[in-house]
Amino acid sequence: MNTNTIKKCLLVFLALGLISCAKKEETKKYPEVKWVKFENYVNNSYKQPVFVNVTADWCANCQYIEKTVLETAEFKKYVEEKNVLAVEADVTQEENFNKVENWFNEVTKENFTGAQTYVVFDRGKTTVLQSQNDVLAFLWMSK
């Protein structure tokens, strides 16, 4: 083997090693999100960001967004790296719906539209998200 061939081989192995390292970073495993039940959440008593997922068993869009957004590595990374408290507000039962509605109207000063609503509290700012695209855009903006 001549010197040029050896250099080319070394460059190929180096490039493959860098690609391999980059892929390991991309596939980093983040822990599962530990959702706190809404009933156990106390408003504004946390110094960390809070993400509230208003969901219901009968809400097909909620289930879809949970699978395609809230269970992804990107969302897990957001929760892990920003130390976010994840809260699940299940409004399947009417009694819970009314409690969440009253809370929502009080803290956001907006009208509650029901399940498939997401509320983020961070550094004194309240953000209401209502679609998959809203949540994805929020995650992208929070990087």
Side-chain angles (χ1 to χ4, degrees):
M1 274 189 174
N2 66 28
T3 307
N4 285 337
T5 306
I6 292 173
K7 285 181 182 178
K8 287 178 184 177
C9 288
L10 287 173
L11 285 174
V12 168
F13 285 120
L14 179 62
L16 289 173
L18 291 174
I19 291 169
S20 175
C21 289
K23 286 190 177 194
K24 285 181 185 174
E25 180 62 31
E26 288 174 10
T27 59
K28 180 180 177 187
K29 298 279 186 192
Y30 290 94
E32 292 298 316
V33 174
K34 294 180 178 125
W35 293 91
V36 173
K37 295 291 181 195
F38 181 78
E39 299 79 33
N40 299 329
Y41 166 67
V42 181
N43 288 343
N44 301 326
S45 65
Y46 298 93
K47 301 290 185 214
Q48 68 198 100
V50 178
F51 184 97
V52 181
N53 171 22
V54 181
T55 188
D57 290 346
W58 44 260
C59 176
N61 285 341
C62 298
Q63 309 309 316
Y64 178 75
I65 292 171
E66 286 171 13
K67 293 287 184 212
T68 61
V69 179
L70 303 183
E71 294 177 7
T72 64
E74 185 174 1
F75 185 78
K76 292 173 186 176
K77 177 180 178 183
Y78 161 72
V79 170
E80 176 78 10
E81 291 183 355
K82 305 279 185 183
N83 191 31
V84 173
L85 175 68
V87 178
E88 181 179 79
D90 187 343
V91 296
T92 302
Q93 304 299 320
E94 187 174 348
E95 177 183 313
N96 289 347
F97 187 96
N98 294 335
K99 286 179 188 175
V100 173
E101 179 179 34
N102 291 336
W103 165 83
F104 180 89
N105 292 341
E106 180 181 323
V107 299
T108 67
K109 308 299 184 224
E110 295 184 26
N111 291 324
F112 185 59
T113 57
Q116 191 185 324
T117 301
Y118 311 89
V119 184
V120 181
F121 302 103
D122 191 8
R123 291 175 251 151
K125 182 179 176 191
T126 302
T127 305
V128 178
L129 311 166
Q130 298 206 304
S131 71
Q132 179 184 23
N133 287 340
D134 288 352
V135 178
L136 290 171
F138 175 81
L139 291 174
W140 185 79
M141 297 288 289
S142 68
K143 289 183 180 180

